[in-house]
Amino acid sequence: MACCPGDARPLRKALADLPPYVPGARAPIGAAAFKLSSNENPYPPLPGVVAALADAAMDVNRYPDMYATELTEAIASSLGVDTDNVVTGNGSVAVLAHVLAAVCEAGDEVVMPWRSFEAYPIAVTLAGAVGVQVPLAPGGRLDLPALAAAVTPRTRVVLVCTPNNPTGPAVHADELDAFLAAVPQDVLVVLDEAYVEFVRDPQAADGLAALAAHPNVVLLRTFSKAYGLAGLRVGYAVARPRLVAGIRSASTPFGVSSLAQHAALVSLRSVDELMTRVDAIVAERDRMLAGLLAQGWEVPDSQANFVWLPLGDQASSFAADATRAGVLVRPFAGDGVRVSVGEPEATDLLLEVTGSFRR
Ligand code: PMP
């Protein structure tokens, strides 16, 4: 393509250093494989959701409701909070970007656990902030005392991913209480609860209770995982009204499509049916974990819809073996492999791969 004057202008320096967001592998067109690489819900949408999408399709010549009014009200009432405590966005990853845009000045520090959700360093850098990574504790757990100790006068935000993607454990209530007592009130604590519906650990922290007790907490949640709407991109934040208004000011106008709004609304109304599916995924997760432990693997507890294989240098070769067997997983080179929980047949196949990899 011919060069034009714009080509000579440098891009932002920050872009050169951004780690890439690596999407989970997809099966080549026409090939059959279980896709356990993106923490998706293996169930197709409910018939009522498909019907709502078909209805909403007739209106796509119009912009959506910019404030997602009906959906926002439904989310608020499902959580027992007020409507002005909730703001939606096109996926919780976008909501996180809007939170950071709303609160970070250039050069502010954002403390985060690492390894954690791979979008964090990207979002923080793009917000003009500086990421401070705090290593995980043994067992793939967040090290909350170390996260609190990493807070400096420059810190504006701490990211707390619970359950942690990609390792799986959830933060415990006593850990979160001590952490919130230690962190200054003017530091925003983002509790990323993308997988909260899969949590069964009785000691797990209650994000809504933390939010009620601490004005500097914001929750991030999503319809992508338990609700099975990853392809529609809808997530939300729950926080104090002033912060919610700030996040809304920083949001992409009309960011949640009318299709996504309708499908999410129907999903909220079908919560019992969807949570039965979540129970089945949790049972499948526990079967996968039990199978791995029986084979002698040392894997962290998982409270999400994935498990973590701490394979270190063997991560990529394991992923290649799994792909050959027809299971797509998400390797993090040199560190480990994340396997999402999908169909029972996929668990069986995965356990065959993990069994022969150890022999
Ligand atoms: N937070 C965490 C911890 C995640 O793992 C994900 C999805 N991979 C998200 C947020 C973003 O979800 P979405 O943008 O689909 O709502």
Side-chain angles (χ1 to χ4, degrees):
M1 197 190 290
C3 182
C4 59
D7 286 351
R9 291 186 75 165
L11 296 169
R12 265 176 72 192
K13 281 199 207 66
L15 292 189
D17 301 328
L18 277 189
Y21 188 110
V22 182
R26 291 172 166 271
I29 292 168
F34 290 108
K35 186 170 183 297
L36 305 185
S37 51
S38 299
N39 296 345
E40 294 153 335
N41 193 314
Y43 292 94
L46 295 173
V49 169
V50 176
L53 287 171
D55 284 352
M58 291 308 293
D59 287 327
V60 294
N61 54 316
R62 306 287 176 196
Y63 283 101
D65 171 358
M66 184 154 122
Y67 305 109
T69 312
E70 234 185 311
L71 176 60
T72 304
E73 284 169 8
I75 293 168
S77 87
S78 77
L79 300 177
V81 299
D82 292 331
T83 307
D84 60 2
N85 293 125
V86 176
V87 54
T88 58
N90 55 329
S92 64
V93 76
V95 182
L96 171 64
H98 301 149
V99 170
L100 297 174
V103 303
C104 290
E105 302 290 353
D108 281 352
E109 290 174 358
V110 177
V111 172
M112 68 183 87
W114 199 251
R115 176 172 298 276
S116 190
F117 181 29
E118 64 187 313
Y120 292 163
I122 302 171
V124 167
T125 304
L126 289 177
V130 177
V132 177
Q133 298 185 345
V134 174
L136 297 181
R141 302 190 61 80
L142 262 55
D143 188 342
L144 285 147
L147 285 165
V151 171
T152 73
R154 303 290 312 269
T155 306
R156 189 70 192 90
V157 178
V158 185
L159 303 178
V160 175
C161 188
T162 178
N164 188 48
N165 175 10
T167 54
V171 166
H172 287 167
D174 55 349
E175 296 173 317
L176 187 64
D177 286 348
F179 171 80
L180 289 170
V183 169
Q185 292 282 306
D186 60 349
V187 172
L188 185 67
V189 176
V190 177
L191 287 187
D192 184 344
E193 298 192 310
Y195 303 95
V196 68
E197 296 86 353
F198 301 99
V199 174
R200 298 293 180 271
D201 181 349
Q203 295 185 70
D206 175 345
L208 282 165
L211 173 67
H214 298 273
N216 58 328
V217 167
V218 52
L219 309 184
L220 295 184
R221 294 196 177 183
T222 180
F223 284 91
S224 296
K225 311 294 178 183
Y227 288 84
L229 300 181
L232 285 170
R233 317 303 305 122
V234 50
Y236 58 94
V238 193
R240 292 290 193 279
R242 185 167 167 270
L243 180 61
V244 163
I247 299 168
R248 197 165 278 132
S249 305
S251 295
T252 310
F254 307 104
V256 184
S257 74
S258 43
L259 277 74
Q261 292 185 31
H262 281 92
L265 249 182
V266 173
S267 300
L268 275 180
R269 291 184 192 133
S270 318
V271 67
D272 291 347
E273 210 172 334
L274 288 168
M275 291 311 132
T276 305
R277 291 174 164 196
V278 168
D279 285 342
I281 295 169
V282 167
E284 201 54 34
R285 168 191 81 202
D286 292 347
R287 188 169 79 86
M288 193 187 277
L289 279 174
L292 290 165
L293 294 175
Q295 290 175 356
W297 288 78
E298 282 179 26
V299 288
D301 172 44
S302 174
Q303 294 297 313
N305 65 341
F306 52 81
V307 302
W308 175 247
L309 305 175
L311 277 154
D313 290 345
Q314 292 180 298
S316 302
S317 66
F318 176 88
D321 276 13
T323 304
R324 271 191 294 276
V327 197
L328 304 177
V329 296
R330 172 72 172 93
F332 294 84
D335 199 353
V337 170
R338 190 191 65 201
V339 184
S340 310
V341 178
E343 302 80 354
E345 300 78 12
T347 308
D348 295 341
L349 206 48
L350 188 270
L351 289 173
E352 279 177 30
V353 180
T354 51
S356 37
F357 198 81
R358 287 190 69 81
R359 279 196 282 274

